[in-house]
Amino acid sequence: MIPLSFAQQRLWFLHRLDGANATYNLPLALRLTGNVDDAALQLALGDLVSRHESLRTIFPDTDDEPQQIILPAEKADFVLERAQARQATLATQLAEAADHCFELTREIPFRAWLFRIDPQQHVLLLLCHHIASDGWSLAPLVRDLSVAYAARCQGKPPAWEPLPVQYADYTLWQRELLGDENDPDSTGGRQLAYWKQALADLPEQLELPTDRPRPPVSSYRGESIAFQLDAQLHQGLTALARQGGGSLFMVLQAALATLFTRLGAGTDIPLGCPIAGRTDEALNDLVGFFLNTLVLRTDTSGNPRFDELLQRVRETNLSAYEHQDLPFERLVEVLNPVRSMARHPLFQVTLVFQNNARASVELPGIETAFEPIAIHSAKVDLSFTLWEERNKQGGLNGISGRVEFSADLFDRSTVTWMLEHLKSVLRTVAAHPGTRLFQIPLPSPVSPATAAPARPRPTQPYTEFTRDDIEQSLTARFEAQVRRDPTAVAITHQDSSWSYADLDRKANGIANALCQRLGAGAGRVMLLFGHGAEMIAAMLGVLKAGKTYVPLDPLHPVERLRFMLADSEGEALICESALTALASSIGAQRDIPVFDPSTISPAERCAAQRDSRTPTYILYTSGTTGQPKGVVQIDRNVLHFIATYTNALHLSAGDRLTLFSSYGFDASVMDIYGALLNGASLHVLDLREAGFTRIREWLHRHQITVWHSTPTVFRLGAMGLHAQKASSTRLVVLGGEESTPADLDLLRKNFEPNCLLVNGYGPTESTVTVQFFADAQTNSNGMRLPIGHPVESTHIALLDPDGQPTDVFGELAICSDFIARGYLNRPGLTAERFVANPFGAPGSRMYRTGDLARWRPDGVLDFLGRADQQVKIRGFRIEPG
Ligand code: AMP
Ligand code: MG
């Protein structure tokens, strides 16, 4: 009984698991111009099958150890299939034939077709299953074909020396060479120990910028794209390899690792790289599966210079080559990574550099040329194959390449985009090998202008905010709305509603009380209310008194409230009567005056100074690490934000907006001022109180036009809709956390077709939202909803791990005149996160968010996670604030 080699075992196992399929087919097509002696060709191919046992081997089904059975030459039943073809249909015919599914249990793993186009034009397709062949086998295969055909044309059998060994001999040798793995001194034992250590803690999966989520079971469908690097670049890269004492392959490997790191795949990049595996000269003339795959792992961490990276690659590879005998398949068994039908184990990208002898065919009286075959399968996510072109004198004449990609994961355009980036990396490092990884320029995406989002239809004609509008105060703008239509509904809560005039008089009363007790102008007043309309009157009252409010959410932990109270140094607290006990427990009653709004009567406006630079509020960010940080925003920043919100989404007096968010978060700023500065109405609903089941009735009763919430609330709320569509809603704005394509599905199911989904992104420091994505419908890919485009007067920069501007992927930084001054009482942290804007006028600033983001090829931005969490993006560490 002849066992299988380790490599064969894996294919045999896959064959049993998936059934016969074309994934591991190796096709080779030759165009033959001239007189083809078709009978001689048939005999010559028969000669190949008798010469190479591997080509007449079958792998019977068995529940025991798998084995190979070599059929006697006369029983191998090889036939050359003949078919008529037209030039127009040839490509399809070739692809179809190359998709033949070998039934390895009973069929030999080799077939051939002769397509006749006309008497002088034929295409010969040779198809091997990988279990019997590999890339290095092509040279002996076509060389033997040349010899046999020449002989058969003269009516003779080929006069070649019989092969000294056969593939079956190799399978036995392989086991002998490796010895007993359990013996640490055996080759197998030593190499296994090496690889275990070299691949310790390898990431399970390389996070590539895919267009779709990975299906649970790979379909192995694929496509390929060809590319070229010119002779000059070829020479440059070769010189770079020589300078570094490495090989051209190492340069290509380092460039590919650079590419993936730059696209956000992290800094630990494993690539699968085939090597010939023909460690004995006697094997060179055989057709068979000798190839072994090394997992070459590149560490790109620390933003090194490319030439430094090349040295890392060189060291890793040299020691990997010394341990190249251990079969990859054996390694997988031993390392036993989490098994998945969705991805290739240990690596998902391969790099093949073909520096083996090009197969050359010479058939008497016939001119031959290789005929391209379209590939429709992909064994891994991405597979890069490159080979050198030489001119007649042997000089470097360019590098040709082909990338095969999984159609499950990628669109063709995305792979083309990655190739453009790869070329850019190669061109830069050939000219400037000392460039740091993140400083290599990458082509920019298409300009955001061409990718601009669709604008939603307004409910009524809306009025654009102008540049002048943002130079007033919030109260001036609000009061203009009161004068415009005092009877319009400003707020509804539970069963009551207030007109603009009602709200204004309540706010005036509070302003008067504050001015009397504290004096008009500058000062901070804390607010402690439940979710409702009263607190909005109090906010406006504080603003009207020329002061700054600090909202305290009673549902926040007492510790946090106590901290905020002390940190913000407010001069008073306005507290609804039901919450006075809480107010004392956080220390308010003792230290500062407390106002009960129910004892204050509505009044006319008192005179207090307020302008666009007056601080509006202090909001505390949740502070995932350490203490909450107080962010101070001025009226101008809030007005600018509401201006962009209004102008981008066409808010008008006809809109009815939700208020779900706690006023302790800046999401509420969008709703409160989005409504009140546009003469629209704000509809307050406490979901924690009302529950999600009532939401459908509520939406309908209030004829909500703009829904704004976190995705989490949206998901729970949409469940309450029971698939009855919310007919009045024209906009769903989600923000504060990641939205997913599933949210878009929910929207489609529960809202009218003309309702737009908007993904709003922004930290409190940048005043609510700096990015709007208003066209999820057309731009969503299967992976995530992008965070879109920066609003007007805002520039988005991406920073590398050293804080320098970089392209395509990095830490998201916001350059704008409308970001916060900084953090209250935190000069050190402020200096760290609010830095000089390298793109702007002197004195202008930029806020570093600590979020990671990536531009898409079509010019929209994706949010990829927090840099300090390191969950999604390994190795891109930014110290948490
Ligand atoms: P906050 O300052 O509390 O508003 O939190 C801002 C942070 O929430 C951002 O820095 C992001 O990490 C996250 N975030 C806000 N909006 C989004 C969004 N649309 N998608 C993903 N993350 C978001
Ligand atoms: Mg926010």
Side-chain angles (χ1 to χ4, degrees):
M1 191 194 97
I2 312 164
L4 272 56
S5 69
F6 290 100
Q8 285 182 316
Q9 267 178 15
R10 179 161 153 270
L11 292 192
W12 179 81
F13 177 74
L14 287 174
H15 184 265
R16 285 195 82 184
L17 198 70
D18 301 335
N21 66 77
T23 310
Y24 288 91
N25 282 0
L26 298 176
L28 173 71
L30 295 169
R31 183 172 284 258
L32 312 177
T33 310
N35 285 323
V36 171
D37 181 342
D38 162 326
L41 188 59
Q42 157 85 49
L43 288 170
L45 288 163
D47 292 332
L48 288 185
V49 174
S50 26
R51 179 168 172 80
H52 296 275
E53 289 180 1
S54 54
L55 296 180
R56 50 187 161 91
T57 299
I58 58 169
F59 305 84
D61 233 342
T62 163
D63 288 328
D64 306 323
E65 277 286 285
Q67 54 166 310
Q68 42 190 328
I69 294 180
I70 301 161
L71 301 179
E74 61 285 0
K75 283 220 181 130
D77 271 348
F78 180 83
V79 271
L80 171 64
E81 294 178 45
R82 296 168 173 87
Q84 203 60 42
R86 279 181 300 121
Q87 190 51 45
T89 56
L90 179 70
T92 321
Q93 284 177 291
L94 281 175
E96 260 168 32
D99 267 348
H100 170 76
C101 299
F102 286 104
E103 190 47 75
L104 298 175
T105 55
R106 48 188 155 77
E107 187 187 354
I108 60 167
F110 179 54
R111 281 190 157 226
W113 287 259
L114 184 65
F115 294 99
R116 180 192 150 107
I117 300 166
D118 61 45
Q120 290 296 304
Q121 289 285 332
H122 292 75
V123 172
L124 174 65
L125 173 67
L126 303 178
L127 187 69
C128 292
H129 192 278
H130 202 348
I131 203 162
S133 181
D134 60 15
W136 278 266
S137 298
L138 295 181
L141 188 74
V142 298
R143 193 174 57 228
D144 287 351
L145 177 64
S146 306
V147 172
Y149 179 76
R152 291 296 179 180
C153 283
Q154 315 218 319
K156 293 184 290 191
W160 47 35
E161 285 290 308
L163 291 167
V165 291
Q166 290 282 352
Y167 191 80
D169 301 311
Y170 160 79
T171 62
L172 300 169
W173 280 359
Q174 186 184 34
R175 281 162 205 270
E176 247 169 66
L177 167 81
L178 292 169
D180 178 4
E181 265 168 23
N182 298 318
D183 169 5
D185 293 329
S186 70
T187 304
R190 260 188 308 107
Q191 297 203 0
L192 195 55
Y194 167 83
W195 284 107
K196 273 185 182 169
Q197 183 243 322
L199 301 183
D201 302 319
L202 196 70
E204 229 154 63
Q205 177 172 309
L206 196 59
E207 297 302 334
L208 298 166
T210 63
D211 295 300
R212 283 170 288 283
R214 190 179 290 277
V217 177
S218 168
S219 76
Y220 296 111
R221 281 181 312 110
E223 284 182 53
S224 70
I225 301 177
F227 61 93
Q228 299 290 322
L229 309 176
D230 63 27
Q232 194 195 344
L233 184 53
H234 187 186
Q235 287 153 16
L237 296 171
T238 307
L240 173 60
R242 207 176 305 120
Q243 282 153 27
S247 63
L248 188 50
F249 172 81
M250 291 174 187
V251 172
L252 296 171
Q253 180 189 337
L256 210 50
T258 299
L259 172 73
F260 294 135
T261 296
R262 287 295 305 277
L263 297 181
T267 55
D268 188 354
I269 313 286
L271 299 176
C273 304
I275 48 160
R278 297 176 188 237
T279 38
D280 191 303
E281 222 172 276
L283 304 176
N284 286 351
D285 295 334
L286 297 192
V287 172
F289 185 5
F290 297 96
L291 167 143
N292 193 14
T293 305
L294 297 182
V295 187
L296 299 177
R297 185 180 190 184
T298 305
D299 169 13
T300 60
S301 65
N303 194 16
R305 293 158 46 122
F306 188 82
D307 48 9
E308 289 166 1
L309 180 68
L310 196 52
Q311 286 312 311
R312 289 187 197 172
V313 167
R314 183 172 171 274
E315 267 167 44
T316 317
N317 287 16
L318 291 180
S319 58
Y321 299 153
E322 281 170 23
H323 300 88
Q324 61 167 279
D325 303 303
L326 188 79
F328 171 75
E329 296 71 22
R330 187 64 201 123
L331 188 61
V332 174
E333 278 170 19
V334 175
L335 294 183
N336 196 19
V338 177
R339 289 310 174 95
S340 159
M341 305 271 283
R343 58 169 181 254
H344 194 279
L346 303 184
F347 59 81
Q348 291 83 41
V349 179
T350 58
L351 172 60
V352 186
F353 186 58
Q354 285 180 342
N355 53 359
N356 45 323
R358 288 295 292 276
S360 77
V361 206
E362 273 168 44
L363 306 177
I366 301 176
E367 221 178 90
T368 58
F370 290 100
E371 181 81 12
I373 299 183
I375 306 279
H376 296 293
S377 70
K379 300 181 239 333
V380 291
D381 296 358
L382 288 170
S383 168
F384 291 81
T385 304
L386 296 99
W387 59 94
E388 295 187 271
E389 304 288 357
R390 302 269 174 172
N391 60 23
K392 289 220 168 64
Q393 296 75 43
L396 307 180
N397 202 24
I399 297 174
S400 298
R402 190 180 65 238
V403 54
E404 281 168 40
F405 60 93
S406 155
D408 287 347
L409 302 179
F410 294 105
D411 289 335
R412 209 177 170 80
S413 58
T414 302
V415 179
T416 308
W417 173 80
M418 283 197 262
L419 279 175
E420 285 312 307
H421 287 358
L422 179 63
K423 287 183 193 166
S424 189
V425 170
L426 290 168
R427 277 194 294 264
T428 303
V429 301
H432 309 285
T435 314
R436 291 200 181 276
L437 254 52
F438 275 89
Q439 291 307 310
I440 296 170
L442 296 181
S444 3
V446 300
S447 79
T450 56
R455 299 295 194 208
R457 231 172 4 92
T459 307
Q460 278 183 7
Y462 81 106
T463 323
E464 285 245 348
F465 267 70
T466 64
R467 278 256 139 202
D468 290 342
D469 288 337
I470 65 174
E471 304 298 342
Q472 12 170 341
S473 69
L474 278 169
T475 45
R477 175 83 192 187
F478 169 68
E479 283 157 9
Q481 298 301 330
V482 176
R483 284 192 300 276
R484 198 186 51 81
D485 188 355
T487 60
V489 173
I491 306 182
T492 75
H493 179 223
Q494 293 170 341
D495 291 323
S496 62
S497 61
W498 294 349
S499 67
Y500 271 78
D502 295 338
L503 176 60
D504 193 46
R505 277 170 54 77
K506 276 181 191 289
N508 286 341
I510 289 168
N512 288 345
L514 291 175
C515 290
Q516 275 159 27
R517 283 284 294 275
L518 308 171
R524 296 173 193 152
V525 177
M526 287 161 294
L527 307 177
L528 185 62
F529 285 85
H531 198 66
E534 297 287 346
M535 61 149 178
I536 294 167
M539 281 176 182
L540 290 170
V542 174
L543 298 182
K544 280 170 179 265
K547 298 183 189 297
T548 304
Y549 64 81
V550 186
L552 306 180
D553 182 337
L555 294 177
H556 282 170
V558 168
E559 268 316 305
R560 181 181 157 98
L561 295 177
R562 200 173 280 149
F563 173 83
M564 287 158 63
L565 188 94
D567 187 58
S568 63
E569 298 170 321
E571 50 181 348
L573 173 76
I574 309 180
C575 169
E576 109 185 58
S577 11
L579 295 171
T580 45
L582 178 61
S584 351
S585 76
I586 62 173
Q589 305 281 11
R590 196 177 58 233
D591 304 325
I592 52 169
V594 176
F595 291 79
D596 178 351
S598 63
T599 63
I600 299 173
S601 41
E604 294 310 314
R605 177 125 166 57
C606 69
Q609 275 297 336
R610 180 161 204 94
D611 65 32
S612 68
R613 309 275 165 174
T614 310
T616 316
Y617 55 69
I618 300 172
L619 277 175
Y620 282 80
T621 61
S622 29
T624 41
T625 50
Q627 282 177 345
K629 299 160 283 188
V631 177
V632 192
Q633 291 291 10
I634 59 174
D635 280 20
R636 187 170 180 270
N637 292 359
V638 177
L639 280 162
H640 172 259
F641 164 64
I642 296 298
T644 58
Y645 183 26
T646 303
N647 295 351
L649 303 179
H650 298 180
L651 296 183
S652 72
D655 277 313
R656 289 170 293 275
L657 287 74
T658 57
L659 177 61
F660 296 131
S661 164
S662 153
Y663 58 91
F665 294 121
D666 74 344
S668 66
V669 170
M670 182 156 167
D671 307 321
I672 296 170
Y673 298 105
L676 300 183
L677 302 189
N678 280 306
S681 59
L682 183 68
H683 299 260
V684 184
L685 184 67
D686 188 344
L687 280 170
R688 289 169 289 207
E689 203 175 82
F692 292 97
T693 47
R694 277 191 47 216
I695 197 132
R696 175 176 54 165
E697 181 263 327
W698 182 82
L699 280 181
H700 186 73
R701 185 149 48 85
H702 291 268
Q703 290 286 296
I704 294 300
T705 62
V706 181
W707 169 304
H708 172 214
S709 73
T710 59
T712 307
V713 167
F714 174 68
R715 286 162 208 155
L716 293 167
M719 276 180 348
L721 295 174
H722 306 297
Q724 193 198 49
K725 297 208 172 184
S727 55
S728 55
T729 310
R730 68 178 184 95
L731 267 179
V732 169
V733 184
L734 302 181
E737 58 192 29
E738 239 176 312
S739 291
T740 69
D743 296 325
L744 190 53
D745 294 340
L746 264 185
L747 179 94
R748 290 202 181 107
K749 252 200 359 249
N750 293 298
F751 293 81
E752 291 295 335
N754 60 2
C755 178
L756 270 184
L757 185 65
V758 174
N759 188 6
Y761 161 88
T764 306
E765 291 84 342
S766 69
T767 326
V768 193
T769 297
V770 291
Q771 296 270 112
F772 269 117
F773 183 71
D775 202 1
Q777 275 86 341
T778 52
N779 278 80
S780 156
N781 64 16
M783 285 302 286
R784 42 177 75 83
L785 296 187
I787 54 176
H789 314 275
V791 298
E792 190 195 325
S793 319
T794 302
H795 172 75
I796 294 300
L798 297 177
L799 306 181
D800 75 9
D802 301 320
Q804 297 303 309
T806 182
D807 296 327
V808 181
F809 161 79
E811 183 195 353
L812 197 158
I814 299 163
C815 312
S816 154
D817 259 3
F818 303 95
I819 56 179
R821 275 283 148 67
Y823 299 114
L824 189 67
N825 306 328
R826 304 285 292 273
L829 191 58
T830 299
E832 229 169 78
R833 307 305 288 270
F834 294 83
V835 298
N837 172 9
F839 305 96
S844 67
R845 290 165 329 127
M846 166 170 93
Y847 170 66
R848 297 182 60 164
T849 64
D851 291 330
L852 295 175
R854 178 171 62 212
W855 288 108
R856 282 195 193 171
D858 56 359
V860 293
L861 201 64
D862 272 336
F863 169 86
L864 296 188
R866 297 277 313 159
D868 53 16
Q869 275 169 356
Q870 283 203 19
V871 184
K872 295 198 173 140
I873 316 290
R874 293 159 56 111
F876 199 104
R877 192 178 175 82
I878 289 157
E879 287 314 310

